Amino acid sequence: MDGPLRVERPRSGVVLLTLSLPERRNAMTPELTAAWAQAMESLEQDDSVRAVVVTGAGTAFCAGGDLSWLGHADPADRGTAGADTGVADTGVAVTGVAVTGVAVTGVAGADARPVPTPAQLRAKMYDFYRTWLRVRDLEVPVLAAVNGPAIGAGLCLALACDLRYAAPTARFSVPFLALGLHPGMAATYLLPEAVGMARAREMLYTGRVVGASQAVELGLINRVLPAEGLVEEVLDVAASVAAAAPVAVRLTKAALRHGPRSYAEALEWEALAQPVTMASHDLQEGLRAVSEKRPPQFRGR
């Protein structure tokens, strides 16, 4: 289907979301953001969904948010400004990755309209953040197939996913400070969660670009996969997740959602959650399947 976001069901229980603005390097435009919000609402209400895959069309995963509206020049006078760079609350579409990993165009010109106040910007950006980060709160696992650069808010979107796989051409950067911006899109939480505080500080302070192989070492992604067939391979992983017992998977995601907890808290949660699965029909099906040497057919009850 046409539109800024393609929603497909290529495997049983698996939904594929494709950011489909390749000419803008999949920057988070208002149109794409609205489509994303609609998709999240649908997924939250669909019990048949057991895993979600997020990827980008074209050569980029996501260039970040679109801050062309924040420039002083009137958008009508900028033509296609920002189409290649997607200036964002958190990032830009990257065309050069030298020192800061930032190459911005189309945000110049005379003051054609007043700059929004901090209060107005806070309301706008907070809503923007919460819309995109709803993906983190889905009850089912979400996998990112990072097919190219994931910059600023685009990297945060990938970090909001449970599992991340990338093509060799993928690049990762959070160049907020190089743009004169404080980090946004929960970058100061999601990045340390993935790579640790020391490495997060370095990435945030310097805006340096990290390649795919180093991203594995840092913990930004799980694995590097061949560019050709990346999405198909990630869909295979998603299908294996979708084939597991739905209740057990959802409860496990809930346990892991907020990162490491104390030893006592983990035991307390498991003492509540594991009996739920012990009393399920799915456990009996799993035991029968092992005994009969066949794949289980879980029904989520």
Side-chain angles (χ1 to χ4, degrees), residues 49-52 135 138-142 162 249-250 253 257:
V49 177
R50 297 189 180 184
V52 176
V135 70
L138 292 178
E139 293 185 352
V140 300
V142 182
D162 298 283
V249 170
R250 289 171 185 250
K253 174 161 180 173
R257 177 174 288 134

Side-chain angles (χ1 to χ4, degrees), residues 52-91:
V52 176
V53 175
V54 181
T55 193
T59 59
F61 175 72
C62 180
D66 177 10
L67 276 194
S68 58
W69 56 270
L70 190 56
H72 298 308
D74 191 294
D77 296 331
R78 291 203 298 267
T80 58
D84 290 332
T85 55
V87 187
D89 73 296
T90 56

Side-chain angles (χ1 to χ4, degrees), residues 106-189:
V107 191
D111 290 344
R113 57 181 174 178
V115 177
T117 67
Q120 291 170 328
L121 289 169
R122 180 187 185 278
K124 184 180 184 75
M125 299 317 301
Y126 196 39
D127 183 62
F128 176 74
Y129 301 151
R130 288 185 296 183
T131 295
W132 281 96
L133 293 177
R134 282 172 72 176
V135 70
R136 182 177 172 88
D137 294 325
L138 292 178
E139 293 185 352
V140 300
V142 182
L143 295 74
V146 185
N147 55 301
I151 307 300
L155 174 52
C156 293
L157 174 60
L159 291 174
C161 298
D162 298 283
L163 299 173
R164 296 173 290 278
Y165 304 92
T169 54
R171 298 291 182 268
F172 306 88
S173 180
V174 278
F176 300 95
L177 303 186
L179 293 175
L181 287 170
H182 186 284
M185 193 67 85
T188 56
Y189 178 88

Side-chain angles (χ1 to χ4, degrees), residues 3-36:
L5 181 69
R6 294 204 309 267
V7 182
E8 303 167 276
R9 293 179 178 252
R11 309 286 175 87
S12 177
V14 177
V15 171
L16 173 63
L17 302 177
T18 304
L19 310 181
S20 190
L21 292 174
E23 71 283 359
R24 303 207 51 177
R25 300 175 68 80
N26 302 318
M28 295 163 165
T29 63
E31 295 77 16
L32 179 55
T33 300
W36 183 263

